[in-house]
PDB file of all heavy atoms in Angstrom:
ATOM      1  N   MET J  13       3.253  51.357 -32.706  1.00 93.00           N
ATOM      2  CA  MET J  13       2.131  50.516 -33.110  1.00 93.00           C
ATOM      3  C   MET J  13       2.561  49.552 -34.219  1.00 93.00           C
ATOM      4  O   MET J  13       3.409  49.881 -35.046  1.00 93.00           O
ATOM      5  CB  MET J  13       0.992  51.392 -33.671  1.00 93.00           C
ATOM      6  CG  MET J  13       0.342  52.263 -32.627  1.00 93.00           C
ATOM      7  SD  MET J  13      -0.455  51.301 -31.331  1.00 93.00           S
ATOM      8  CE  MET J  13      -1.756  52.424 -30.904  1.00 93.00           C
ATOM      9  N   SER J  14       1.953  48.388 -34.212  1.00 98.00           N
ATOM     10  CA  SER J  14       2.245  47.427 -35.277  1.00 98.00           C
ATOM     11  C   SER J  14       1.199  46.309 -35.253  1.00 98.00           C
ATOM     12  O   SER J  14       0.400  46.215 -34.326  1.00 98.00           O
ATOM     13  CB  SER J  14       3.632  46.806 -35.064  1.00 98.00           C
ATOM     14  OG  SER J  14       3.606  45.965 -33.933  1.00 98.00           O
ATOM     15  N   VAL J  15       1.254  45.498 -36.308  1.00 98.00           N
ATOM     16  CA  VAL J  15       0.546  44.218 -36.314  1.00 98.00           C
ATOM     17  C   VAL J  15       1.622  43.152 -36.221  1.00 98.00           C
ATOM     18  O   VAL J  15       2.555  43.146 -37.036  1.00 98.00           O
ATOM     19  CB  VAL J  15      -0.290  44.041 -37.602  1.00 98.00           C
ATOM     20  CG1 VAL J  15      -0.864  42.632 -37.671  1.00 98.00           C
ATOM     21  CG2 VAL J  15      -1.404  45.081 -37.665  1.00 98.00           C
ATOM     22  N   VAL J  40      -4.421  43.761 -42.708  1.00 98.00           N
ATOM     23  CA  VAL J  40      -4.953  44.345 -41.469  1.00 98.00           C
ATOM     24  C   VAL J  40      -4.152  45.609 -41.132  1.00 98.00           C
ATOM     25  O   VAL J  40      -4.720  46.639 -40.760  1.00 98.00           O
ATOM     26  CB  VAL J  40      -4.894  43.338 -40.288  1.00 98.00           C
ATOM     27  CG1 VAL J  40      -5.320  43.999 -38.983  1.00 98.00           C
ATOM     28  CG2 VAL J  40      -5.768  42.124 -40.571  1.00 98.00           C
ATOM     29  N   ALA J  41      -2.830  45.530 -41.311  1.00 98.00           N
ATOM     30  CA  ALA J  41      -1.958  46.681 -41.012  1.00 98.00           C
ATOM     31  C   ALA J  41      -2.312  47.866 -41.897  1.00 98.00           C
ATOM     32  O   ALA J  41      -2.270  49.020 -41.458  1.00 98.00           O
ATOM     33  CB  ALA J  41      -0.491  46.289 -41.188  1.00 98.00           C
ATOM     34  N   LYS J  42      -2.671  47.548 -43.141  1.00 98.00           N
ATOM     35  CA  LYS J  42      -3.063  48.619 -44.068  1.00 98.00           C
ATOM     36  C   LYS J  42      -4.310  49.328 -43.534  1.00 98.00           C
ATOM     37  O   LYS J  42      -4.402  50.549 -43.538  1.00 98.00           O
ATOM     38  CB  LYS J  42      -3.307  48.018 -45.456  1.00 98.00           C
ATOM     39  CG  LYS J  42      -3.060  48.994 -46.585  1.00 98.00           C
ATOM     40  CD  LYS J  42      -3.123  48.317 -47.952  1.00 98.00           C
ATOM     41  CE  LYS J  42      -1.836  47.592 -48.315  1.00 98.00           C
ATOM     42  NZ  LYS J  42      -1.987  46.784 -49.538  1.00 98.00           N
ATOM     43  N   GLN J  43      -5.261  48.542 -43.040  1.00 98.00           N
ATOM     44  CA  GLN J  43      -6.485  49.134 -42.463  1.00 98.00           C
ATOM     45  C   GLN J  43      -6.163  50.032 -41.278  1.00 98.00           C
ATOM     46  O   GLN J  43      -6.819  51.038 -41.045  1.00 98.00           O
ATOM     47  CB  GLN J  43      -7.443  48.023 -41.994  1.00 98.00           C
ATOM     48  CG  GLN J  43      -8.114  47.265 -43.113  1.00 98.00           C
ATOM     49  CD  GLN J  43      -9.005  46.161 -42.562  1.00 98.00           C
ATOM     50  OE1 GLN J  43      -8.527  45.235 -41.908  1.00 98.00           O
ATOM     51  NE2 GLN J  43     -10.300  46.239 -42.819  1.00 98.00           N
ATOM     52  N   LEU J  44      -5.148  49.627 -40.516  1.00 98.00           N
ATOM     53  CA  LEU J  44      -4.797  50.373 -39.298  1.00 98.00           C
ATOM     54  C   LEU J  44      -3.719  51.417 -39.564  1.00 98.00           C
ATOM     55  O   LEU J  44      -3.302  52.122 -38.646  1.00 98.00           O
ATOM     56  CB  LEU J  44      -4.292  49.402 -38.227  1.00 98.00           C
ATOM     57  CG  LEU J  44      -5.311  48.407 -37.684  1.00 98.00           C
ATOM     58  CD1 LEU J  44      -4.618  47.274 -36.950  1.00 98.00           C
ATOM     59  CD2 LEU J  44      -6.288  49.116 -36.750  1.00 98.00           C
ATOM     60  N   ASN J  45      -3.235  51.421 -40.811  1.00 98.00           N
ATOM     61  CA  ASN J  45      -2.180  52.347 -41.198  1.00 98.00           C
ATOM     62  C   ASN J  45      -0.927  52.172 -40.330  1.00 98.00           C
ATOM     63  O   ASN J  45      -0.383  53.127 -39.792  1.00 98.00           O
ATOM     64  CB  ASN J  45      -2.721  53.784 -41.112  1.00 98.00           C
ATOM     65  CG  ASN J  45      -1.877  54.733 -41.921  1.00 98.00           C
ATOM     66  OD1 ASN J  45      -1.107  54.296 -42.788  1.00 98.00           O
ATOM     67  ND2 ASN J  45      -1.983  56.022 -41.637  1.00 98.00           N
ATOM     68  N   THR J  46      -0.527  50.908 -40.209  1.00 98.00           N
ATOM     69  CA  THR J  46       0.656  50.627 -39.397  1.00 98.00           C
ATOM     70  C   THR J  46       1.516  49.545 -40.062  1.00 98.00           C
ATOM     71  O   THR J  46       1.227  49.125 -41.176  1.00 98.00           O
ATOM     72  CB  THR J  46       0.218  50.224 -37.965  1.00 98.00           C
ATOM     73  OG1 THR J  46       1.373  50.103 -37.153  1.00 98.00           O
ATOM     74  CG2 THR J  46      -0.536  48.915 -37.941  1.00 98.00           C
ATOM     75  N   ASN J  47       2.583  49.137 -39.378  1.00 98.00           N
ATOM     76  CA  ASN J  47       3.542  48.178 -39.935  1.00 98.00           C
ATOM     77  C   ASN J  47       3.260  46.745 -39.526  1.00 98.00           C
ATOM     78  O   ASN J  47       2.594  46.509 -38.532  1.00 98.00           O
ATOM     79  CB  ASN J  47       4.949  48.519 -39.444  1.00 98.00           C
ATOM     80  CG  ASN J  47       5.502  49.735 -40.160  1.00 98.00           C
ATOM     81  OD1 ASN J  47       5.047  50.089 -41.250  1.00 98.00           O
ATOM     82  ND2 ASN J  47       6.478  50.359 -39.530  1.00 98.00           N
ATOM     83  N   VAL J  48       3.844  45.819 -40.286  1.00 98.00           N
ATOM     84  CA  VAL J  48       3.730  44.396 -39.972  1.00 98.00           C
ATOM     85  C   VAL J  48       5.072  43.865 -39.497  1.00 98.00           C
ATOM     86  O   VAL J  48       6.084  44.017 -40.190  1.00 98.00           O
ATOM     87  CB  VAL J  48       3.325  43.579 -41.215  1.00 98.00           C
ATOM     88  CG1 VAL J  48       3.188  42.099 -40.849  1.00 98.00           C
ATOM     89  CG2 VAL J  48       2.056  44.104 -41.795  1.00 98.00           C
ATOM     90  N   ASP J  70       7.207  44.119 -42.830  1.00 98.00           N
ATOM     91  CA  ASP J  70       8.135  45.255 -42.818  1.00 98.00           C
ATOM     92  C   ASP J  70       9.400  44.908 -42.035  1.00 98.00           C
ATOM     93  O   ASP J  70      10.460  45.448 -42.285  1.00 98.00           O
ATOM     94  CB  ASP J  70       7.467  46.475 -42.176  1.00 98.00           C
ATOM     95  CG  ASP J  70       6.298  46.966 -43.017  1.00 98.00           C
ATOM     96  OD1 ASP J  70       6.568  47.547 -44.080  1.00 98.00           O
ATOM     97  OD2 ASP J  70       5.137  46.736 -42.638  1.00 98.00           O
ATOM     98  N   GLU J 102      -0.835  46.238 -31.688  1.00 98.00           N
ATOM     99  CA  GLU J 102      -2.246  46.413 -31.317  1.00 98.00           C
ATOM    100  C   GLU J 102      -3.095  45.254 -31.821  1.00 98.00           C
ATOM    101  O   GLU J 102      -4.182  44.994 -31.301  1.00 98.00           O
ATOM    102  CB  GLU J 102      -2.796  47.763 -31.779  1.00 98.00           C
ATOM    103  CG  GLU J 102      -2.566  48.086 -33.226  1.00 98.00           C
ATOM    104  CD  GLU J 102      -3.007  49.504 -33.567  1.00 98.00           C
ATOM    105  OE1 GLU J 102      -4.081  49.909 -33.093  1.00 98.00           O
ATOM    106  OE2 GLU J 102      -2.291  50.176 -34.322  1.00 98.00           O
TER     107      GLU J 102
END
Side-chain angles (χ1 to χ4, degrees):
Chain J
M13 292 297 210
S14 69
V15 172
V40 174
K42 208 172 279 172
Q43 288 178 298
L44 294 164
N45 199 18
T46 187
N47 285 339
V48 181
D70 295 287
E102 51 186 318

